[in-house]
Amino acid sequence: MYCSHCGYDLKENQQKVAPEAAGFRTANTKVTYVCPRCGHIIKEDLNEEEIKALSRASHAEIHRASNSRNTGMCFLVIGIILTIISFLFFLMSFKAALGGQLSFGSTEFKVFIVLLVIGVAGIVSGGILLYQGITKHKKYTELLRDINNNVFVQ
């Protein structure tokens, strides 16, 4: 179920609302839900105006997904570049004056550690954002396709 106000997908964590709390009687109502993001009541039967609002919300979610995907790609590329530079500093930390041994106290080794940590953090966070953006974009594109083909059922 999707919130027609903000487009939130309620499948993961559904929060039921008592019909009395939603302002309905218990005798002739269906189970209703409240959106955890915006607080609006989510119902099963949507009218034409609510479907248009869901379509607008889906377009906004696709835009957010594209932003997340682009941010993830940037973090991923920057993380890869910093990791490669860190390995260059690792190679420079082998000192010829020590007979080609690794010098753990050198500035080059410390720069290697810092750049490696930042690079791996960028790769991991970029991969997570990229995956979330791609899956969200795919889900809301399919939702818009269903709405446009008049086969959407809440």
Side-chain angles (χ1 to χ4, degrees):
M1 294 183 77
Y2 294 93
C3 175
S4 61
H5 185 260
C6 68
Y8 182 75
D9 186 12
L10 202 65
K11 286 181 183 175
E12 296 91 29
N13 46 353
Q14 295 183 348
Q15 295 182 350
K16 292 183 182 179
V17 149
E20 309 84 44
F24 302 111
R25 294 183 188 162
T26 58
N28 57 0
T29 59
K30 297 178 181 178
V31 176
T32 56
Y33 299 94
V34 65
C35 179
R37 185 190 292 173
C38 66
H40 282 79
I41 301 295
I42 299 173
K43 54 186 181 177
E44 291 182 3
D45 299 326
L46 299 177
N47 59 21
E48 186 177 341
E49 193 61 38
E50 291 170 335
I51 289 178
K52 287 181 182 180
L54 179 60
S55 177
R56 287 190 296 268
S58 297
H59 281 288
E61 288 294 326
I62 288 173
H63 187 70
R64 285 187 198 104
S66 296
N67 288 342
S68 175
R69 188 182 62 214
N70 293 340
T71 303
M73 284 191 289
C74 288
F75 279 168
L76 194 64
V77 169
I78 290 171
I80 289 171
I81 290 171
L82 289 177
T83 304
I84 291 171
I85 292 172
S86 74
F87 283 115
L88 293 175
F89 275 95
F90 178 71
L91 294 176
M92 287 190 296
S93 65
F94 288 97
K95 298 295 182 183
L98 299 175
Q101 291 182 345
L102 181 63
S103 174
F104 293 110
S106 66
T107 305
E108 291 87 0
F109 188 77
K110 293 174 184 174
V111 170
F112 158 71
I113 295 295
V114 169
L115 287 178
L116 184 66
V117 168
I118 294 172
V120 169
I123 290 171
V124 169
S125 63
I128 291 171
L129 284 172
L130 182 63
Y131 175 75
Q132 288 175 344
I134 289 172
T135 56
K136 190 181 221 183
H137 189 274
K138 181 180 177 185
K139 177 172 60 171
Y140 283 101
T141 302
E142 290 174 1
L143 175 64
L144 275 178
R145 188 176 305 125
D146 289 344
I147 289 173
N148 289 334
N149 294 333
N150 294 326
V151 294
F152 172 72
V153 177
Q154 180 88 326

